[in-house]
Amino acid sequence: MEDKRGRPLRDLRISIIDSCNFRCNYCMPKDKISFAESNFLSKKQWLTVDEIVKVAKLFTNLGVQKIRITGGEPLLRPDLPEIIRELVKIPEIKDLSLTTNGYFLKEKAEELKDAGLHRITVSLDSLNVKTFEKITSQKKVLYKVLDGINEASAVGFSAIKINTVIQRGVNDQDIMPLIEYFKGTNIILRFIEFMDVGNINDWNVDSVVPTKEILNIIQENYLLEPVEPNYYGEVASRYRYQDGDGEVGFISSISQPFCRSCNRARITCGGLFYSCLFSSKGFALKPILNQPEQKILETLKNLWLKRDDRYSEFRNQSTNKVNKAEMYKIGG
Ligand code: SAM
Ligand code: SF4
Ligand code: SF4
C-alpha cells in the first residue's frame, strides 16, 4: 500500500499523553502553556490500553513494523508498562521504542525493560545546568535526566539514543560538551534541527543551526565518516567516528528534508490520525474504533492512499504561519 508519492506505511508514532512536566521552549513554551494549564486531555479522553492495542494491530495490517511511544511525556502515564506489555505481543512489530524527557527514567527504566520495551530515546539539550533550566523551564532536572540515562543503560537497554535540539544563541555552545560526554559510550547522540512544528514556539529560520554547521564544529575535533542507512526511510543521517568511538546522527528536516521516504503516521492520545507532522487537521479514529475491523481498515487505507504531504520541501517563513498541530499533541 503506497500513498500518492509512492511511500509505504511502516512507522507509527503513538502519543499517549499530551501533558508534560517540562516546558521546553521549542515545544511548549511556558509563556504560552503555563504549568497550571488545564487544557490537556483528561484521562477519560485518552485512548485506553485496549484502544491503543487495537489501533496498533490495525496499522500492522497496513504495513507498520515499527512503533514509537511518545507524548507529551509518556512516563507520566501510569499504565505505560501495560501498554508496552501488550504492544510487544504483536508479532508484526519488529521495533518498539519510546521517547522520553528522562526525568522519571531512573525510577521506571527497569519496569520498562521488564515490560519488553526494545529501545529508548532520551531528549537532552545541554549539560549546563543553567542552559538546561532555561530550555526546560524546570529547576534541578539535569542530573535526574543524566541518572535516568545511566539507569536505562544499567538495566540493559542498548543503543540508547539522545535527541538534542540545537537552537542558535541558546545551546549551540553545547555541541562539543555533548559530543565529549557521549563519545565512546554505546549511547548515540543525534542532533535535530529546530523545526517549525506548531504555531507557538516562535520559530525563525535564524534560530536553526543547520546540520552542516554542526558537522563542521565536530569535525574540527574528530574525523567522521558517513554510514549507510540501517533501513529505507531512516530519518537520521549517520556518521561514525574514524577512531572507532561510535556514532553520531543528524535529523535535518530543515536543511535536507526527507519527505520522499517519509513512511510515518501519527496518532494523538485522543485518537486523531495525522499523516504529517505539519498537518493542520487530524482524522478522528476514536469514534470509529467500534466499527467492524474491515470497515476501519478501509478508512485507514483510504487516508493513506490519498496522502500527499511534503511540507518540509516547501517550508518558508510564511508556511510557518499556517495552522499546525503542536508537537506535544502530535508526538515527536
Ligand atoms: N517528552 C518527550 C521528550 O521530550 O523526549 C517526548 C515527546 S517530545 C515532543 C519528542 C521529541 O520532539 C523530543 O526529542 C523533542 O526534543 C522533539 N521536539 C519537540 N519540539 C521540537 C521542535 N520544535 N523541533 C525539533 N524537535 C522538537
Ligand atoms: Fe515536554 Fe518533550 Fe515537549 Fe519538552 S519536548 S516540553 S519534554 S513534550
Ligand atoms: Fe514526513 Fe511531513 Fe516531515 Fe515531510 S514534512 S518528512 S511528509 S512528517
Side-chain angles (χ1 to χ4, degrees):
M1 186 186 77
E2 290 178 349
D3 72 4
K4 278 194 162 172
R5 303 201 162 265
R7 300 168 294 190
L9 170 59
R10 291 282 178 271
D11 186 334
L12 179 67
R13 290 162 186 235
I14 308 180
S15 172
I16 60 168
I17 186 166
D18 56 357
S19 61
C20 185
N21 54 324
F22 285 9
R23 287 293 180 273
C24 303
N25 68 338
Y26 49 75
C27 174
M28 235 197 250
K30 101 166 169 234
D31 57 330
K32 308 272 176 28
I33 302 180
S34 76
F35 278 104
E37 171 72 35
S38 55
N39 278 333
F40 297 116
L41 293 192
S42 68
K43 284 185 185 171
K44 278 194 196 143
Q45 294 169 298
W46 292 344
L47 289 180
T48 62
V49 179
D50 288 349
E51 285 172 332
I52 290 173
V53 174
K54 182 158 193 179
V55 166
K57 284 186 177 158
L58 287 161
F59 274 88
T60 58
N61 270 304
L62 300 173
V64 162
Q65 297 168 348
K66 293 176 66 174
I67 291 190
R68 177 169 294 276
I69 301 167
T70 177
E73 175 44 41
L75 267 58
L76 288 176
R77 188 152 162 173
D79 51 5
L80 173 60
E82 198 186 336
I83 294 172
I84 293 167
R85 274 195 294 276
E86 292 306 317
L87 290 180
V88 286
K89 288 183 195 157
I90 304 173
E92 291 86 354
I93 298 174
K94 308 289 177 234
D95 183 39
L96 179 67
S97 58
L98 170 94
T99 307
T100 171
N101 64 29
Y103 185 80
F104 295 107
L105 200 49
K106 188 170 164 51
E107 295 89 323
K108 304 220 168 157
E110 191 164 15
E111 202 181 357
L112 299 179
K113 182 76 186 155
D114 291 347
L117 182 65
H118 299 158
R119 296 190 300 117
I120 280 196
T121 298
V122 183
S123 303
L124 174 71
D125 303 317
S126 176
L127 291 168
N128 178 288
V129 171
K130 286 268 166 289
T131 310
F132 200 55
E133 281 181 13
K134 187 173 158 195
I135 293 171
T136 60
S137 280
Q138 272 290 27
K139 290 205 182 305
K140 298 191 178 156
V141 285
L142 176 62
Y143 293 105
K144 232 177 119 52
V145 175
L146 294 178
D147 283 351
I149 295 169
N150 288 340
E151 185 64 16
S153 189
V155 302
F157 282 106
S158 55
I160 297 170
K161 291 189 177 130
I162 304 295
N163 277 356
T164 300
V165 178
I166 298 291
Q167 298 169 83
R168 197 179 298 287
V170 178
N171 62 340
D172 40 356
Q173 73 286 4
D174 288 276
I175 295 166
M176 280 318 293
L178 283 158
I179 285 284
E180 301 292 359
Y181 189 84
F182 290 109
K183 184 172 182 286
T185 66
N186 285 326
I187 297 173
I188 301 170
L189 183 59
R190 304 191 311 173
F191 292 101
I192 304 180
E193 288 178 346
F194 174 29
M195 293 186 282
D196 49 339
V197 193
N199 300 97
I200 60 172
N201 63 8
D202 276 338
W203 184 86
N204 186 302
V205 75
D206 298 335
S207 324
V208 179
V209 182
T211 288
K212 214 169 160 203
E213 199 176 320
I214 303 178
L215 254 173
N216 284 341
I217 293 171
I218 305 170
Q219 281 175 318
E220 277 170 19
N221 299 272
Y222 297 109
L223 290 175
L224 291 172
E225 59 192 16
V227 182
E228 284 298 306
N230 276 323
Y231 51 87
Y232 168 81
E234 186 170 36
V235 168
S237 44
R238 297 160 56 214
Y239 287 79
R240 75 165 76 89
Y241 294 105
Q242 279 190 8
D243 61 12
D245 259 354
E247 274 187 28
V248 58
F250 300 89
I251 300 177
S252 321
S253 168
I254 310 292
S255 64
Q256 297 156 50
F258 35 80
C259 300
R260 275 184 201 178
S261 59
C262 179
N263 51 19
R264 285 175 298 283
R266 293 179 159 86
I267 304 287
T268 67
C269 63
L272 295 177
F273 164 93
Y274 282 89
S275 58
C276 175
L277 191 51
F278 300 91
S279 306
S280 42
K281 209 165 169 275
F283 176 87
L285 274 185
K286 197 170 164 83
I288 66 162
L289 285 178
N290 286 331
Q291 291 180 354
E293 195 173 306
Q294 273 315 317
K295 198 162 174 215
I296 314 175
L297 280 172
E298 247 347 272
T299 306
L300 292 178
K301 198 171 159 190
N302 287 332
L303 285 170
W304 194 260
L305 291 177
K306 68 173 196 211
R307 176 182 189 248
D308 196 24
D309 304 291
R310 48 184 183 139
Y311 175 91
S312 291
E313 291 182 356
F314 296 107
R315 168 184 289 112
N316 58 41
Q317 205 61 43
S318 65
T319 53
N320 182 34
K321 294 195 175 68
V322 303
N323 180 37
K324 292 168 278 164
E326 294 301 329
M327 188 67 133
Y328 68 91
K329 291 269 179 202
I330 198 169

